[in-house]
Amino acid sequence: MFQTAAKTFSVSAATASAYRRVFLVGLRRYCKKTSTKLRVSEALTGAQLGADVKVQGWVRSVRPQKNNIFLHVNDGSSLQSLQIVADSKLNDPLLTFGSAVEVTGILKKSLHQKQPVELEAERIRVVGECNPVNFPFKIKERHSLEYIRQLPHLRCRTNAFSSLLRIRSEATAAIHSYFKNNGFVQIHTPTITSNDCEGAGELFQPSGPAFVDDNFFSVPAFLTVSGQLHLEVMSGAFSRVYTFGPTFRAENSQSRRHLAEFFMVEAEISFTESLEDLTKVMEDVFRSATECVLARCAEDVDLFHRHVTPGHRDTVEAMLNKSFPVISYTEAIDILHSSSEKFTFPTDWGCDLMTEHEKYLVKHCGNVPVFITDYPYDLKPFYARDNQDHPKHTAAAVDLLVPGVGELCGGSLREERLNLLMARLKRVGLEDTYKYLDLRRFGSVPHGGFGLGFERYLQCVLGVDNIKDVIPFPRFSHSCLL
Amino acid sequence: MFQTAAKTFSVSAATASAYRRVFLVGLRRYCKKTSTKLRVSEALTGAQLGADVKVQGWVRSVRPQKNNIFLHVNDGSSLQSLQIVADSKLNDPLLTFGSAVEVTGILKKSLHQKQPVELEAERIRVVGECNPVNFPFKIKERHSLEYIRQLPHLRCRTNAFSSLLRIRSEATAAIHSYFKNNGFVQIHTPTITSNDCEGAGELFQPSGPAFVDDNFFSVPAFLTVSGQLHLEVMSGAFSRVYTFGPTFRAENSQSRRHLAEFFMVEAEISFTESLEDLTKVMEDVFRSATECVLARCAEDVDLFHRHVTPGHRDTVEAMLNKSFPVISYTEAIDILHSSSEKFTFPTDWGCDLMTEHEKYLVKHCGNVPVFITDYPYDLKPFYARDNQDHPKHTAAAVDLLVPGVGELCGGSLREERLNLLMARLKRVGLEDTYKYLDLRRFGSVPHGGFGLGFERYLQCVLGVDNIKDVIPFPRFSHSCLL
């Protein structure tokens, strides 16, 4: 454009010089535009050494020295920040911990072993200021998980929580991959359902705005506690289905293991022959997701294994190195009976396993995940398949207990036999309002499934004590921030 | 075991013969066990010709002939069923349309061109009966989408709906892949939120059971209408985030395009420079998901393009072959003004675009998706970025309109400038109860995002008229089946 202008008109020297200046500014701008935009994780690979790049992110540290200033800039793409080296002239009072910056310069090999790459800055622009006095996080301070939990709108800016979110994202992807690679069809089971799952009381009920209708759906509706019924519907046409989404409990609980809204992975498999068809999938999901997370988020996981629960890495590796033992409920009761431990709750055959029992059993089995199978028939819901055994009457149900957390998965073969299901529904006084029996009338097949609590899975792998620290926005009684 | 027994003891001829019989039965059982279990889609590849296999599924057709009986068995792994050929002796009165079967036999090359592979049955076991008189689907009948919609617990057993579910699963996976491959971190934004999004009225409120608390969360809580606020939180630490989950509207609508619960893909991008940063991602998601679905679900998509909306394939290909035009709202108004079409609603600058306008604009642009940008400032919510232009005051917002459906995506750059945001919140009488302003205080960056209605996307690609036919369990006013 500038060249064309200069050729066409005859111009004075002054005008030519002005043109030249404008041309050079334009050229410089153009060159700036060709700085390759890189994410921090891409810059850190070192693949672009010598390149003119632009990096954008938030300042994690500022270290002014005599001639130079050193910054660390993080953009959430990795735990590691990119070191920026700049001439002191580029310093700016607004360049503070927490501020947002855009840096252009040349990627160079760093002399420090810890940082193979650094960015020699040519330009630093403060995009967004951050007053360090008001910012609730302080430079070089390690803030506790309890402290950052109070700041749900800012805690993603800490190392620990941004690591958690990257791990959560990778674990989610790994679980989807597992199911996809194994021929499962993903079903988006609904959040709002007219199925109150056995008439249990701990349900949220959504109500519409008053001006629409008192009863928006014309039938009682609830926030789902499980997608099982909807997956069982799909098990009449697909041999393998799964769902992964939010589920709800209106429990007035302040425990470290419960939330009012949490994510659950649920799978349903048709043409099952035994509980082994389920335990195999549960174990495989656990293994493949965990191996994937350890490989793809090594640094992030390391942060938890070093600073949050030192030594937890060994526990995780022990889990992966052994196959998960399978013991029956009856064997579990025998183990508890013959132990010298004093339990608060009874350990008689027919009693529910309590947290203290679950912990003992996991320890007893070598602190690895353990399957407990074939629970007393009367402890399990109406849909659990009757083992028709005597004198100890059991159902084909299975739980997976894991170190530190207790129950991670619960599942069962489902009663596919119409006459047995009808009899049991009648016995427990439930009506088939959900067309459940119809599913047994038209090509019913032996099937079974399970649910895995995703937050508990993360607690187990990372060694995080409180479930509120592994979900972006925890909901529990008396708390719904943001 | 049998051999050992025979060697150790000296036995009579009769006993030996009995042993032999038992041995042979055991051997046969053992051999049966070694039949490779195959899914129908695996069998159809033809990779295992000659193999002894076991296939399990539901009978889609039964055709008894003089010497043979022909079955089609489907297990949901593909639209195509596997043809079974069996000796008439294997026929069974329970072998009816809809029944569940397990077939073992040898995979052979078929003489028919349509079915490259067939299973020569050695054994057919009816696993679950299906009385064809009571079964609401009839053999060889094509049931309308309206009819099968009335049977949410069974409609997955029709060709059309099982195809839809496979497509939905693949499209979901393709969208996740796009974001993962492009450096987005997946965030599980919450379903229950205290954010009532601009005080809009169409919200569900979850109430806990009476015995827990009248106000479970101590603050008013709602079912989310958008994860934007929660993604914006994350945009303070990650340069690219997304979410994909259920969202809710308590709208008393019976339209073909609205549901009370629907799935939305939302993305938020930091360090944006212009709306182009958003339109690029919207267009790329659309293209990559659609190309993926067309490639991986060719037969399933074909069913819709042939039988549901004949000719729709051409529309879809036209969308993929052109880049999506971008026109400003002001240009759109000019186009509407200069058209000879008679519209019901006004087309003056400042008026909202209505469905009739959207349809006209899409047609005008060649029946391909079209972006409309820079809407009147006063039409857009408080968070849309002020373009600070005059005299026509606009905001940096963008919608994507698509053939047959209308609005598929809506997005905007977000107002990142604290003073402008504060002034606007004050002007519209909203308070910052959600810490929104805090996000602009500590390293605020230019950012923007959008939401894509997943069901509308499926409608657009498949040519499905009613949104209730592209979601497993549709929820709308006065309807919440299962």
Side-chain angles (χ1 to χ4, degrees):
Chain A
M1 192 170 108
F2 297 106
Q3 286 180 330
T4 311
K7 271 179 196 162
T8 313
F9 304 104
S10 129
V11 289
S12 72
T15 316
S17 152
Y19 270 135
R20 204 174 143 258
R21 214 165 43 239
V22 172
F23 173 65
L24 284 178
V25 170
L27 183 69
R28 214 169 299 139
R29 277 208 192 125
Y30 176 72
C31 289
K32 250 172 219 149
K33 269 196 185 148
T34 60
S35 301
T36 316
K37 207 165 151 174
L38 281 192
R39 301 168 69 227
V40 166
S41 60
E42 293 166 332
L44 287 171
T45 64
Q48 306 242 18
L49 280 184
D52 185 346
V53 303
K54 173 154 88 179
V55 167
Q56 299 162 314
W58 293 268
V59 173
R60 286 294 175 87
S61 78
V62 192
R63 210 153 34 91
Q65 291 192 345
K66 204 179 163 199
N67 301 318
N68 288 320
I69 171 167
F70 293 89
L71 301 177
H72 278 107
V73 171
N74 189 290
D75 66 357
S77 61
S78 73
L79 175 61
Q80 237 189 301
S81 300
L82 179 65
Q83 170 151 296
I84 315 285
V85 189
D87 190 289
S88 294
K89 280 181 286 185
L90 293 184
N91 203 349
D92 180 329
L94 295 179
L95 214 49
T96 58
F97 175 63
S99 62
V101 293
E102 180 178 295
V103 186
T104 46
I106 309 292
L107 270 186
K108 302 236 158 139
K109 210 169 167 166
S110 171
L111 299 175
H112 298 272
Q113 237 192 335
K114 271 199 172 176
Q115 291 138 345
V117 177
E118 62 188 23
L119 181 58
E120 205 175 276
E122 286 172 358
R123 186 163 168 268
I124 300 178
R125 190 165 73 87
V126 176
V127 175
E129 306 170 17
C130 181
N131 182 333
V133 177
N134 301 332
F135 194 43
F137 303 127
K138 302 303 168 197
I139 194 164
K140 283 185 186 164
E141 247 178 59
R142 187 173 297 153
H143 305 281
S144 72
L145 292 177
E146 291 73 21
Y147 176 73
I148 68 171
R149 206 187 295 149
Q150 315 306 316
L151 301 158
H153 65 305
L154 294 173
R155 69 171 168 166
C156 58
R157 303 188 57 177
T158 62
N159 275 341
F161 208 68
S162 68
S163 281
L164 183 273
L165 290 169
R166 276 188 299 275
I167 294 167
R168 199 177 155 108
S169 180
E170 278 294 348
T172 303
I175 288 170
H176 282 299
S177 287
Y178 169 81
F179 284 112
K180 187 162 173 29
N181 296 341
N182 286 279
F184 284 78
V185 173
Q186 186 182 359
I187 302 293
H188 286 132
T189 52
T191 298
I192 300 175
T193 171
S194 51
N195 167 20
D196 66 356
C197 268
E198 312 148 51
E202 291 157 347
L203 295 157
F204 287 108
Q205 285 201 271
S207 55
F211 67 86
V212 173
D213 209 321
D214 245 13
N215 189 353
F216 187 89
F217 294 109
S218 302
V219 291
F222 310 93
L223 298 193
T224 185
V225 297
S226 156
Q228 181 191 325
L229 168 68
H230 305 95
L231 289 185
E232 280 198 72
V233 164
M234 300 305 169
S235 290
F238 296 92
S239 50
R240 310 187 128 204
V241 288
Y242 82 104
T243 186
F244 186 170
T247 43
F248 305 85
R249 295 282 188 291
E251 278 177 300
N252 197 354
S253 160
Q254 297 288 339
S255 104
R256 300 176 302 98
R257 307 194 306 159
H258 293 89
L259 288 169
E261 174 176 352
F262 58 98
F263 277 71
M264 191 142 73
V265 178
E266 293 178 90
E268 198 74 26
I269 300 156
S270 294
F271 300 101
T272 43
E273 282 167 15
S274 69
L275 279 179
E276 225 185 301
D277 291 322
L278 304 184
T279 57
K280 186 180 179 330
V281 176
M282 293 188 215
E283 184 163 347
D284 285 354
V285 177
F286 186 97
R287 277 177 195 286
S288 86
T290 307
E291 279 161 9
C292 193
V293 163
L294 293 184
R296 293 200 201 142
C297 302
E299 283 183 336
D300 292 314
V301 172
D302 210 41
L303 180 148
F304 283 89
H305 288 176
R306 274 171 196 266
H307 301 305
V308 175
T309 310
H312 194 69
R313 178 66 173 224
D314 295 339
T315 310
V316 174
E317 287 192 343
M319 294 187 213
L320 293 179
N321 288 337
K322 285 188 210 162
S323 68
F324 301 173
V326 182
I327 56 176
S328 71
Y329 167 88
T330 303
E331 285 167 325
I333 288 293
D334 288 347
I335 291 167
L336 295 172
H337 260 309
S338 59
S339 111
S340 57
E341 191 109 348
K342 235 188 146 179
F343 297 109
T344 313
F345 292 95
T347 57
D348 298 320
W349 201 99
C351 294
D352 233 336
L353 295 181
M354 310 304 278
T355 308
E356 56 175 353
H357 307 142
E358 294 177 349
K359 280 189 175 165
Y360 182 86
L361 291 167
V362 168
K363 278 259 161 65
H364 177 88
C365 292
N367 213 31
V368 294
V370 50
F371 289 110
I372 313 284
T373 67
D374 302 298
Y375 282 79
Y377 181 80
D378 290 330
L379 283 185
K380 290 292 165 185
F382 71 89
Y383 50 73
R385 194 175 198 272
D386 190 345
N387 278 332
Q388 300 190 296
D389 46 358
H390 292 284
K392 288 181 169 160
H393 190 187
T394 65
V398 56
D399 282 356
L400 177 60
L401 312 180
V402 297
V405 172
E407 187 189 334
L408 174 68
C409 300
S412 75
L413 300 182
R414 319 305 188 186
E415 187 56 78
E416 87 278 9
R417 295 159 293 187
L418 182 62
N419 55 339
L420 291 181
L421 194 58
M422 281 172 82
R424 186 157 194 193
L425 276 174
K426 203 172 168 188
R427 220 158 43 237
V428 294
L430 284 173
E431 271 179 287
D432 179 38
T433 43
Y434 313 113
K435 304 275 184 192
Y436 199 70
L437 292 177
D438 249 21
L439 302 180
R440 309 296 188 255
R441 282 192 180 104
F442 306 115
S444 179
V445 302
H447 64 288
F450 67 89
L452 174 152
F454 183 56
E455 281 76 20
R456 289 188 180 181
Y457 166 75
L458 293 173
Q459 284 187 276
C460 168
V461 171
L462 301 177
V464 172
D465 189 51
N466 195 319
I467 196 166
K468 301 178 182 75
D469 298 328
V470 295
I471 188 165
F473 299 93
R475 275 79 182 91
F476 46 99
S477 59
H478 307 299
S479 181
C480 183
L481 297 174
L482 294 181
Chain B
M1 190 172 113
F2 297 107
Q3 286 181 328
T4 312
K7 271 179 195 163
T8 314
F9 303 104
S10 131
V11 290
S12 72
T15 316
S17 151
Y19 270 135
R20 205 172 143 259
R21 216 165 42 240
V22 172
F23 172 66
L24 284 177
V25 169
L27 183 69
R28 214 170 297 139
R29 277 208 191 126
Y30 176 73
C31 289
K32 250 173 219 150
K33 271 198 186 146
T34 60
S35 300
T36 315
K37 207 165 151 173
L38 281 193
R39 302 168 69 227
V40 166
S41 60
E42 294 166 330
L44 287 170
T45 65
Q48 306 240 20
L49 281 183
D52 185 347
V53 304
K54 172 155 86 178
V55 167
Q56 298 162 315
W58 292 268
V59 173
R60 286 293 176 86
S61 79
V62 193
R63 208 154 35 89
Q65 292 190 345
K66 201 180 165 198
N67 300 319
N68 287 321
I69 171 168
F70 292 88
L71 301 178
H72 279 106
V73 171
N74 189 291
D75 66 357
S77 62
S78 74
L79 175 61
Q80 237 190 302
S81 299
L82 179 65
Q83 170 151 298
I84 313 285
V85 189
D87 190 290
S88 294
K89 280 181 285 184
L90 293 185
N91 203 350
D92 180 330
L94 295 179
L95 215 49
T96 60
F97 175 61
S99 62
V101 293
E102 180 178 295
V103 186
T104 45
I106 307 295
L107 271 185
K108 301 234 160 142
K109 211 170 165 167
S110 171
L111 298 176
H112 298 273
Q113 236 191 338
K114 271 198 171 177
Q115 291 139 343
V117 177
E118 62 188 23
L119 181 58
E120 206 176 276
E122 285 171 0
R123 187 163 167 268
I124 300 178
R125 190 165 73 88
V126 176
V127 175
E129 306 170 18
C130 180
N131 182 333
V133 178
N134 301 331
F135 193 43
F137 304 127
K138 301 304 167 197
I139 195 163
K140 284 186 187 165
E141 247 178 59
R142 188 172 298 153
H143 304 282
S144 72
L145 292 178
E146 291 73 22
Y147 175 73
I148 68 171
R149 205 188 295 148
Q150 315 307 316
L151 301 159
H153 65 304
L154 293 173
R155 71 171 168 166
C156 58
R157 303 188 58 175
T158 63
N159 274 340
F161 208 69
S162 69
S163 281
L164 183 275
L165 291 170
R166 276 187 299 275
I167 293 167
R168 198 177 156 109
S169 181
E170 277 295 348
T172 303
I175 289 169
H176 282 300
S177 287
Y178 170 83
F179 284 111
K180 186 161 173 31
N181 295 340
N182 287 279
F184 284 77
V185 173
Q186 185 182 359
I187 303 293
H188 287 131
T189 53
T191 297
I192 300 175
T193 170
S194 51
N195 166 23
D196 66 356
C197 269
E198 313 148 51
E202 291 158 346
L203 295 158
F204 287 107
Q205 286 200 271
S207 54
F211 66 87
V212 172
D213 206 322
D214 245 12
N215 188 354
F216 186 89
F217 293 110
S218 301
V219 291
F222 310 94
L223 298 194
T224 186
V225 296
S226 157
Q228 181 190 325
L229 167 69
H230 304 96
L231 289 185
E232 280 198 72
V233 163
M234 299 306 170
S235 289
F238 297 91
S239 50
R240 312 187 128 204
V241 288
Y242 82 104
T243 186
F244 187 171
T247 43
F248 306 85
R249 296 282 188 290
E251 279 178 299
N252 197 353
S253 159
Q254 297 287 339
S255 105
R256 300 176 302 100
R257 307 193 307 160
H258 293 88
L259 288 169
E261 174 176 352
F262 58 99
F263 275 71
M264 191 141 73
V265 178
E266 292 179 272
E268 199 73 27
I269 299 157
S270 294
F271 299 102
T272 44
E273 282 167 15
S274 70
L275 279 179
E276 226 185 300
D277 292 322
L278 304 184
T279 56
K280 187 184 178 325
V281 176
M282 292 188 218
E283 186 164 347
D284 286 354
V285 176
F286 186 96
R287 276 177 196 287
S288 84
T290 308
E291 280 162 9
C292 193
V293 164
L294 293 183
R296 292 200 203 142
C297 301
E299 283 183 335
D300 293 314
V301 172
D302 210 43
L303 180 149
F304 283 89
H305 288 176
R306 273 171 196 267
H307 302 304
V308 176
T309 310
H312 194 69
R313 178 64 176 224
D314 295 339
T315 311
V316 174
E317 286 192 344
M319 296 189 213
L320 293 179
N321 287 337
K322 286 188 207 161
S323 68
F324 300 173
V326 182
I327 56 176
S328 71
Y329 168 88
T330 303
E331 288 167 321
I333 289 294
D334 288 345
I335 291 167
L336 295 172
H337 260 309
S338 59
S339 111
S340 57
E341 190 109 348
K342 235 187 147 181
F343 296 110
T344 313
F345 292 95
T347 57
D348 298 321
W349 200 98
C351 293
D352 234 337
L353 296 180
M354 309 304 277
T355 308
E356 55 174 355
H357 307 141
E358 293 177 348
K359 279 190 175 165
Y360 182 84
L361 291 166
V362 167
K363 277 261 160 62
H364 177 88
C365 292
N367 214 30
V368 295
V370 51
F371 288 110
I372 314 286
T373 67
D374 301 300
Y375 282 80
Y377 181 79
D378 290 331
L379 282 185
K380 289 292 165 185
F382 71 89
Y383 50 73
R385 195 175 197 271
D386 191 346
N387 278 333
Q388 298 191 298
D389 46 359
H390 291 286
K392 286 180 169 161
H393 190 187
T394 64
V398 56
D399 282 357
L400 177 60
L401 311 180
V402 297
V405 172
E407 187 190 332
L408 175 68
C409 301
S412 76
L413 299 183
R414 319 306 188 186
E415 188 57 77
E416 86 280 10
R417 296 159 293 187
L418 183 60
N419 54 342
L420 291 181
L421 194 59
M422 280 172 83
R424 187 158 194 194
L425 275 175
K426 205 173 167 187
R427 222 160 38 240
V428 295
L430 283 174
E431 271 179 285
D432 178 37
T433 42
Y434 313 114
K435 303 276 183 191
Y436 200 68
L437 292 176
D438 249 21
L439 302 180
R440 308 296 188 256
R441 282 193 180 101
F442 306 114
S444 180
V445 303
H447 64 288
F450 67 90
L452 175 152
F454 182 56
E455 281 77 20
R456 289 189 181 180
Y457 166 77
L458 293 173
Q459 283 186 275
C460 168
V461 172
L462 301 178
V464 173
D465 189 53
N466 197 318
I467 196 165
K468 300 177 183 75
D469 298 327
V470 294
I471 188 165
F473 299 93
R475 274 81 181 88
F476 47 99
S477 60
H478 306 299
S479 181
C480 183
L481 297 174
L482 295 184

